C-alpha cells in the first residue's frame, strides 16, 4: 500500500559528523560490547543448554534475592534469571543491531547477529515445539488462568520484533523461520479460547504482539497471521477509543502505545480503514487533546496525565523513555500516511528533548525517566546491571537517527529533519545525492588567526546547506519543513540566487526545478522562547529553537522578567569556543546567578526546567 510519503532505507541515508552521529557511534560501541552468551543467557536456561555462564561448580550464581548482581560475567536486573521479564532485552538488541547493520554495512555487526540467530535456532530446536521464548510457557498458562504475571507476552513480542527486524533489515531467512515457527505455538495456544477469554488475556499487557503478527503477515502473506491478528485485536479498548472515550488519563502509557502500533501496521498490511481510525483516535486523545510538556513527552510515573493539567505532575518520574520512543514511532506512521509536517515537528521536539536528553553522552546509558521537577537529577542505568525496558528502547532509538530525515512522495524528496546526512537514492532511473550540513561556525578559522571573524555573536538562526547532485539532469520537487519554532521569515538561496519564501511554521517550502549540481542554503530564524504550563501560565520553561534549556540549580527559583520576552531574562553565556558557537545562557537582573544549557547535555548535575516567572519582585 502506498501512502503520502515513504521512508528511504537506512542504507540510503548516512549520518555525517555532528551530534546525532556522535550518539549513534556511542550506541554502536555499547551494542557491540555485550557478549553473545550474556544476551542469550535466559534462552539457554529455558532450553536447558549449558553455556559459559556457570561458575566452576556448574551453578548459575545469583545474589541472595536473585535479581541483581555485579560485574559483566552475565546480565542482571530485569535480565536476571529470577525476573519475569527476563530475555526481553535480546529482542531490542536484535532490532538495534539490524538497523546498525543496514545503516553501516559493518561486517562485525552482521557476524554477531548471525551468531545469535543461530543460537536462537538451537534453543528453539531443543525446546522441540516451536517455543523460542526466554521464559517458561507456563507463564502464559497462568495469564490465561487469571493468575498474576508480569507481562509475558510483552517479553515474547520483543523477541518476535527482533527476529522480524533482523529479517527486514538484513534479509535473514533464518530469523524469519524462527519467528514463523514461534507463531505456530501461539496459534495452538490461543485456539481453544473464546472471544471473552481472549479479551481477558489481552487486558494483561501484551506489548506489540498485534504489530508482530501484522509484520509477519506482510512478510509471508500466510493466512495464519490473519487468524492471530483477529485474535489479538483488542476490541474492548479499540471500540471505546472510537467512541471518543478518554481511556488514557492515569492509565499506564506504554501498555497501549504498542497496541496502537499494531493497529497502524494492520491497516498498512490489510487496508482495513477501521484500524486507521483507531490510530487517529488514539493520537487525538494522547496528543492533540492532552497536550505535552515542553519536551514533547507526556507521562508521569509511567501514566498519562490529565488533559492539559500538568502543574501537579512535575516530579522525578516524568517522561518514561519508552513512551517517547514509541510515540515517535507512532508519529512516523501518521506522517507517512498524511504528509502533515506537524508530525515531523513532533518527532523533532522529542528527538532533542527525549531521545538525546535521556542518553548519557559520556557512557551511552539511559535515564528511565526525565525529571521535570525542580532540582531533578537523571538516574542513569548501567551497562550490565539494570536492563530496564527503557534500556532496550534506548539502543533502538539511538540506532534510528537516520530513519526520519528524508522521505519520498510522488513529487520528489521530502526533508523532514535537519540532521547532517547524505542521502543516496535512485528516482526514475536517475542516481541522486543530497548532502545536508548544518553550519556550526560562522566565519573565521579554527585558530581565528587569519581571515574574517564572521558574526560577532551567536547567530539567531540555523543555516543549513544542501548539495544536490544527479548523474543526469532531473526535474523533481524538494520539500523542506519549516519548523514549528521558526521565529521569522526564512530565507533560501539556490546557487547563490535568492528565492522568495513566504512560508510560516509547520509548512513545507517546495522547490521544483531541473537538478544536477546545485546548492541550496536555508536560513531558519530562531529565538529564545518560553513554554508555559497550560494550567499554570506563569510557570515556564525556556527553549532555544527546538531545544529545551535546563537551569543548573537544585531548587525552585522564581525569576523576574517578562515571560513574553525571554531575552529579557536570559542572555548568551560562554558563547564561543574556537570556530564553534556554544549553546549556553545565563540569567540577567536576578538576585542570584544561574546558568542554563541544553537539557540533552545534562549528565550528573542537578537541574530545573520549569520556573515561576513574575513581572516584578514582591
Amino acid at each position: 500500500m502506498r501512502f503520502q510519503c515513504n521512508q528511504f532505507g537506512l542504507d540510503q541515508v548516512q549520518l555525517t559528523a555532528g551530534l546525532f552521529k556522535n550518539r549513534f557511534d556511542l550506541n554502536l560501541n555499547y551494542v557491540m560490547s555485550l557478549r553473545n552468551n550474556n544476551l542469550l543467557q535466559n534462552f539457554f536456561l529455558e532450553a536447558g543448554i549449558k553455556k559459559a555462564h556457570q561458575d566452576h561448580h556448574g551453578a548459575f550464581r545469583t545474589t541472595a534475592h536473585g535479581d541483581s548482581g555485579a560485574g559483566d560475567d552475565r546480565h542482571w536486573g530485569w535480565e536476571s534469571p529470577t525476573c519475569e521479564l527476563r530475555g526481553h532485552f535480546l529482542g531490542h538488541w536484535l532490532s538495534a543491531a539490524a538497523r546498525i547493520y543496514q545503516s553501516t554495512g559493518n561486517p562485525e555487526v552482521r557476524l554477531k547477529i548471525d551468531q545469535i540467530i543461530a543460537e536462537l535456532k538451537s534453543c528453539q530446536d531443543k525446546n522441540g515445539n516451536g517455543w523460542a521464548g526466554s521464559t517458561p510457557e507456563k507463564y502464559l498458562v497462568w495469564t490465561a488462568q487469571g493468575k498474576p504475571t508480569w507481562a509475558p507476552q510483552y517479553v515474547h513480542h520483543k523477541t518476535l520484533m527482533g527476529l522480524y527486524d533482523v529479517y527486514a533489515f538484513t534479509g535473514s531467512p533464518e530469523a524469519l523461520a524462527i519467528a514463523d515457527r514461534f507463531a505456530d505455538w501461539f496459534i495452538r495456544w490461543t485456539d481453544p479460547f473464546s472471544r471473552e477469554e481472549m479479551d481477558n488475556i489481552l487486558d494483561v499487557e501484551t506489548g506489540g504482539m498485534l504489530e508482530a503478527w501484522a509484520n509477519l503477515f506482510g512478510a509471508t502473506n500466510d493466512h495464519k497471521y490473519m487468524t492471530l491478528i483477529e485474535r489479538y485485536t483488542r476490541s474492548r479498548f479499540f471500540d471505546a477509543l472510537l467512541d471518543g472515550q478518554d481511556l488514557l488519563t492515569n492509565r499506564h502509557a506504554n501498555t497501549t502505545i504498542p497496541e496502537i502500533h499494531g493497529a497502524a501496521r494492520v491497516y498498512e498490511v490489510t487496508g482495513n480503514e477501521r484500524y486507521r481510525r483507531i490510530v487517529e483516535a488514539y493520537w487525538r486523545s494522547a496528543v492533540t487533546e492532552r497536550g505535552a510538556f515542553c519536551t514533547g513527552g507526556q507521562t508521569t510515573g509511567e501514566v498519562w496525565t490529565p488533559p492539559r493539567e500538568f502543574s501537579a505532575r512535575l516530579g522525578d518520574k516524568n517522561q518514561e523513555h519508552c513512551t517517547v520512543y514509541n510515540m515517535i514511532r507512532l508519529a512516523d506512521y501518521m506522517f507517512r500516511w498524511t504528509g502533515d509536517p506537524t508530525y515531523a515537528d513532533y518527532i523533532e521536539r522529542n528527538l532533542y528533548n527525549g531521545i538525546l536528553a535521556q542518553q548519557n553522552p559520556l557512557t551511552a546509558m539511559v535515564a528511565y525517566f526525565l525529571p521535570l521537577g525542580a532540582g531533578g537529577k537523571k538516574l542513569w542505568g548501567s551497562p550490565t546491571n539494570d536492563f530496564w525496558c527503557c534500556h532496550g528502547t534506548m539502543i533502538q532509538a539511538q540506532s534510528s537517527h537516520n530513519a526520519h530525515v528524508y522521505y519520498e512522495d510522488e513529487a520528489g524528496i521530502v526533508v523532514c529533519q535537519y540532521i547532517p546526512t547524505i542521502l543516496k537514492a535512485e528516482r526514475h532511473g536517475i542516481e541522486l545525492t543530497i548532502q545536508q550540513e548544518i553550519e556550526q561556525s560562522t566565519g573565521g578559522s579554527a585558530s581565528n588567526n587569519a581571515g574574517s571573524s564572521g558574526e560577532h555573536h551567536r547567530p539567531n538562526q540555523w543555516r543549513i546547506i544542501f548539495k544536490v547532485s544527479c548523474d543526469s539532469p532531473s526535474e523533481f520537487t524538494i520539500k523542506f519543513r519549516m519548523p514549528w519554532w521558526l521565529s521569522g521569515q526564512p530565507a533560501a538561496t539556490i546557487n547563490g540566487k535568492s528565492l522568495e519564501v513566504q512560508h510560516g511554521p509547520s509548512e513545507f517550502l517546495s522547490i521544483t526545478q531541473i537538478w544536477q549540481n546545485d546548492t541550496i542554503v536555508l536560513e531558519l530564524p530562531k529565538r529564545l522562547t518560553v513554554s508555559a504550563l497550560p494550567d499554570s501560565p506563569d510557570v515556564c520553561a525556556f527553549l532555544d529553537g527546538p531545544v529545551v534549556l535546563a537551569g543548573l540549580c537544585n531548587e525552585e527559583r522564581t525569576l523576574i522578567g517578562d515571560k513574553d520576552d525571554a531575552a529579557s531574562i536570559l542572555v548568551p553565556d560562554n558563547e564561543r569556543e574556537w570556530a564553534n558557537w556554544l549553546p549556553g545562557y545565563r540569567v540577567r537582573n536576578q538576585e542570584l546567578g544561574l546558568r542554563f544549557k541544553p537539557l540533552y547535555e545534562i549528565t550528573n548535575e542537578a537541574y530545573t526546567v520549569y520556573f515561576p516567572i513574575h513581572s516584578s519582585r514582591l
Side-chain angles (χ1 to χ4, degrees), residues 192-395:
F193 299 132
S194 67
R195 183 69 257 175
E196 183 176 1
E197 289 170 330
M198 194 67 206
D199 286 344
N200 291 338
I201 291 169
L202 296 181
D203 283 342
V204 180
E205 186 174 358
T206 62
M209 293 294 280
L210 180 61
E211 185 181 27
W213 307 139
N215 280 333
L216 290 167
F217 176 72
T220 67
N221 204 34
D222 190 325
H223 185 73
K224 73 182 178 187
Y225 293 111
M226 283 304 302
T227 299
L228 286 167
I229 285 170
E230 292 166 2
R231 292 176 181 176
Y232 274 81
T233 292
R234 194 180 172 202
S235 294
R236 286 178 182 171
F237 176 53
F238 292 168
D239 290 347
L241 275 176
L242 291 174
D243 287 342
Q245 299 179 34
D246 177 10
L247 300 183
L248 302 187
T249 297
N250 293 331
R251 296 280 294 274
H252 188 263
N254 205 47
T255 296
T256 57
I257 305 170
E259 293 176 315
I260 300 303
H261 291 165
R265 191 66 180 126
V266 172
Y267 167 61
E268 291 195 341
V269 299
T270 69
N272 187 328
E273 289 285 341
R274 178 174 183 271
Y275 287 93
R276 176 167 175 161
R277 292 196 300 273
I278 291 165
V279 177
E280 292 168 341
Y282 190 90
W283 185 270
R284 282 195 300 273
S285 181
V287 179
T288 307
E289 297 169 356
R290 196 164 303 272
F293 293 112
C294 61
T295 56
Q298 223 292 3
T299 58
T300 300
E302 303 192 19
V303 304
W304 293 106
T305 66
R308 305 190 183 280
E309 296 180 20
F310 305 154
S311 60
R313 299 294 176 106
L314 300 178
D316 61 350
K317 292 182 175 62
N318 294 116
Q319 193 165 304
E320 181 191 4
H321 180 277
C322 285
T323 64
V324 176
Y325 173 68
N326 282 326
M327 288 301 291
I328 285 176
R329 287 196 59 218
L330 189 58
D332 176 70
Y333 276 114
M334 299 291 283
F335 177 75
R336 288 190 289 106
W337 297 351
T338 65
D340 185 337
T342 59
Y343 297 113
D345 286 341
Y346 181 93
I347 290 172
E348 179 185 54
R349 186 192 286 258
N350 282 274
L351 280 176
Y352 279 100
N353 307 307
I355 300 305
L356 295 185
Q358 289 178 254
Q359 185 204 35
N360 189 310
L362 304 177
T363 68
M365 292 298 99
V366 71
Y368 195 129
F369 299 108
L370 186 68
L372 294 177
K377 292 192 74 173
K378 300 176 185 178
L379 176 63
W380 301 111
S382 63
T384 59
N385 292 331
D386 296 300
F387 293 107
W388 307 312
C389 53
C390 297
H391 197 135
T393 53
M394 181 270 293
I395 63 171

Side-chain angles (χ1 to χ4, degrees), residues 434-453:
I434 298 178
Q435 181 173 347
Q436 177 184 168
E437 300 174 357
I438 298 179
E439 193 171 83
Q440 298 295 333
S441 61
T442 303
S445 63
S447 66
N448 283 331
N449 288 331
S452 170
S453 65

